[in-house]
Amino acid sequence: MQAFYNNPPSKSGLPALRPERNLTERTAYVLFAYSTFPAVSSNCMRKDIDGNIVADAANWGSLEDIHNAVHNLTGGIGGHMAVVPVSSFDPIFWLHHTNIDRLFAIWQALHEGTTGKDTFVVERQAGWGSFTVPKNGTEGIHTPLYPFRPDKDHWYTSDMVRPVEKFGYSYPELHNREALLEKLGEIYVPIWKSIKQSKKHIPTAGEQILPQVHTVQQIEAQGAPATAEQLKTIVAEMPPAEDLLKTSLEPSKPLLRDLAPHNKYLEWITNIGAEKHALGGTYTVHVFVGDPAEPNVALWPVAPSHVGTFAPLGQPSTTKCAKCVDDQSERVQVTGQISLTVALVERYLAGILDDLSEESVKPYLTKNLHWRVAELDGTIVEDRSEVANLTVYVVSNEVKLPEDNSQLPVYAPDVTIYPEITTARNGEGRGNGTGLTADAMSA
């Protein structure tokens, strides 16, 4: 069944309904919305100079979070990529890490020079230290990167290797910096681009999500369980792409451009934080919008209601990794983000949701947002509170559409937190107490 969903597009011309489609949305959000190196580079729960956790709800995602998710999803249950000590034995490991390098180079090209602040390595405490930097010592952009040197008299520093071209290579998207944003729009098709196209009355705006819109409509109409088997049936009977597009343009159908009155709309995101090495570091948190009816954990990523996966990529207590042992003793926490916007837009186009406003989305997610926890061997963790310090909550970020194709959208500097979505009727956190409540947020 997994092979079925990875088949090339069918003769109808429909794009394949691949597992974990949300990874594209998550990647686009980090590339476009994040503007500082500390936020984009690390999934570690940020702390101030005194070691206190910083309430930085806008920046719980990162390239490291995306990196971890790909490791887990590629390895699945029993595969090398999901197990850190042996992950590099899978050839895709090297392609994956090259892609993370590519994504960071793209992020640099998008943001360096736009603010002039914190867009590369910043000075901070070294934490665990290394052979050359003492624990809690200071390191920054000019710290020597022992033992690497460009010649016998100098050591490399981060500042010296800022652009990848210094190493004699580059990536296709970087060859024409002027057209970079347009190229990324073609690769990742962020929802703000589709909304902007709709405002220009381009008839194909949003066509990439129409198969999923049809899937959501069918499940809603049939009252069918949102399982991978049900998705397989729906895909087999999917109308041709041109018919889906024609239906979406009927006068009675909702339009993407109406989601951004005054050229602004809300991005909706699930923030997830937990101890990295809880349950031996092998757990994953899966976010669903709709009934998580699929019984097989291996098929969760292809279930119609599944949105995304948070993977800490931790280690068991038997690990030989000295840093991991220190992390375990200090109970290091990591964070991640699962973007919900495209899933909500699909339900808007399906006629299930009125718009992306707080008034529409809050009650919908209160009823339909779910999260489940599984271990690496496919065992479902029934009591989600067994994941130490697991916290799940929803935020929104106001986005202003760019005026032209050469500009990034403008993301609000702060997000709005909605503890009411993750609070049960009895006042406790949903999901065995792992949902954020208003009381917990105040504390």
Side-chain angles (χ1 to χ4, degrees):
M1 184 175 287
Q2 297 237 28
F4 172 87
Y5 294 112
N6 282 296
N7 282 339
S10 67
K11 62 183 179 181
S12 68
L14 290 169
L17 291 174
R18 292 186 171 87
E20 200 77 12
R21 296 169 302 107
N22 173 268
L23 269 176
T24 302
E25 183 184 5
R26 288 163 75 178
T27 302
Y29 187 78
V30 168
L31 288 178
F32 299 135
Y34 280 47
S35 60
T36 66
F37 177 83
V40 80
S41 62
S42 173
N43 69 342
C44 194
M45 186 86 73
R46 274 169 282 287
K47 298 182 179 180
D48 61 22
I49 195 69
D50 298 317
N52 300 310
I53 290 177
V54 176
D56 189 20
N59 295 306
W60 273 36
S62 64
L63 289 178
E64 187 172 9
D65 173 44
I66 294 168
H67 159 270
N68 292 355
V70 173
H71 263 279
N72 177 268
L73 290 160
T74 306
I77 297 175
H80 286 73
M81 275 286 280
V83 184
V84 175
V86 297
S87 59
S88 61
F89 287 101
D90 188 325
I92 205 170
F93 173 95
W94 305 98
L95 293 174
H96 171 43
H97 282 246
T98 298
N99 189 47
I100 295 298
D101 181 62
R102 165 186 163 270
L103 291 174
F104 179 62
I106 288 172
W107 179 84
Q108 284 180 289
L110 287 173
H111 295 280
E112 283 198 309
T114 57
T115 64
K117 179 184 178 183
D118 293 349
T119 53
F120 200 52
V121 176
V122 297
E123 189 171 289
R124 61 192 305 168
Q125 282 189 331
W128 301 276
S130 66
F131 291 110
T132 57
V133 179
K135 185 174 183 178
N136 295 324
T138 300
E139 59 183 359
I141 197 168
H142 299 298
T143 301
L145 299 175
Y146 305 116
F148 304 105
R149 58 168 78 216
D151 55 60
K152 65 183 181 65
D153 298 318
H154 302 88
W155 300 106
Y156 273 117
T157 67
S158 296
D159 189 48
M160 293 169 63
V161 295
R162 204 164 182 140
V164 295
E165 289 80 1
K166 286 286 185 73
F167 292 108
Y169 72 93
S170 186
Y171 295 101
E173 297 88 351
L174 303 179
H175 290 171
N176 184 352
R177 299 293 177 105
E178 298 298 322
L180 175 60
L181 195 53
E182 182 178 352
K183 183 64 176 177
L184 294 177
E186 295 172 0
I187 296 172
Y188 296 104
V189 198
I191 199 63
W192 54 262
K193 179 182 178 180
S194 297
I195 294 174
K196 192 168 177 60
Q197 288 177 333
S198 178
K199 284 183 173 290
K200 293 181 178 179
H201 296 271
I202 297 174
T204 55
E207 64 177 344
Q208 73 281 357
I209 63 175
L210 292 181
Q212 182 63 13
V213 172
H214 177 79
T215 299
V216 170
Q217 287 174 324
Q218 292 300 303
I219 289 174
E220 183 81 4
Q222 299 171 13
T227 63
E229 189 64 38
Q230 183 63 28
L231 177 60
K232 184 176 179 179
T233 300
I234 293 172
V235 170
E237 300 172 353
M238 187 80 69
E242 56 269 23
D243 289 354
L244 290 178
L245 183 60
K246 183 179 179 180
T247 300
S248 74
L249 296 174
E250 293 176 356
S252 61
K253 298 299 182 181
L255 299 170
L256 285 172
R257 56 179 169 268
D258 294 332
L259 289 174
H262 312 295
N263 286 328
K264 294 181 179 179
Y265 73 98
L266 292 180
E267 285 275 356
W268 290 87
I269 300 163
T270 303
N271 276 3
I272 303 172
E275 289 189 18
K276 179 172 183 175
H277 301 283
L279 300 183
T282 62
Y283 69 92
T284 51
V285 181
H286 297 256
V287 174
F288 299 81
V289 173
D291 183 20
E294 174 56 55
N296 186 345
V297 172
L299 293 175
W300 278 0
V302 297
S305 59
H306 186 271
V307 180
T309 305
F310 167 74
L313 212 63
Q315 296 289 293
S317 58
T318 55
T319 180
K320 303 300 181 183
C321 165
K323 178 182 176 298
C324 301
V325 172
D326 286 343
D327 284 355
Q328 291 168 350
S329 64
E330 295 180 18
R331 304 187 68 176
V332 165
Q333 297 184 47
V334 293
T335 64
Q337 289 183 326
I338 305 297
S339 301
L340 300 172
T341 309
V342 170
L344 294 173
V345 170
E346 290 165 352
R347 284 148 182 81
Y348 162 73
L349 293 177
I352 298 170
L353 194 64
D354 289 337
D355 49 44
L356 292 180
S357 68
E358 292 181 339
E359 292 74 18
S360 295
V361 174
K362 283 199 300 182
Y364 183 78
L365 289 182
T366 299
K367 180 180 179 181
N368 292 286
L369 178 71
H370 303 279
W371 57 97
R372 297 289 185 266
V373 176
E375 295 194 65
L376 191 59
D377 63 0
T379 301
I380 296 175
V381 180
E382 299 293 348
D383 183 356
R384 285 153 283 186
S385 66
E386 290 182 15
V387 179
N389 284 310
L390 176 60
T391 303
V392 179
Y393 63 99
V394 174
V395 302
S396 75
N397 182 248
E398 186 180 71
V399 183
K400 181 179 179 182
L401 298 177
E403 293 182 4
D404 59 58
N405 293 335
S406 66
Q407 298 176 328
L408 283 167
V410 178
Y411 295 85
D414 299 311
V415 297
T416 301
I417 302 174
Y418 303 95
E420 58 268 41
I421 293 176
T422 48
T423 301
R425 291 181 179 178
N426 62 3
E428 297 179 355
R430 292 174 54 200
N432 307 116
T434 60
L436 182 70
T437 65
D439 289 344
M441 188 171 76
S442 299

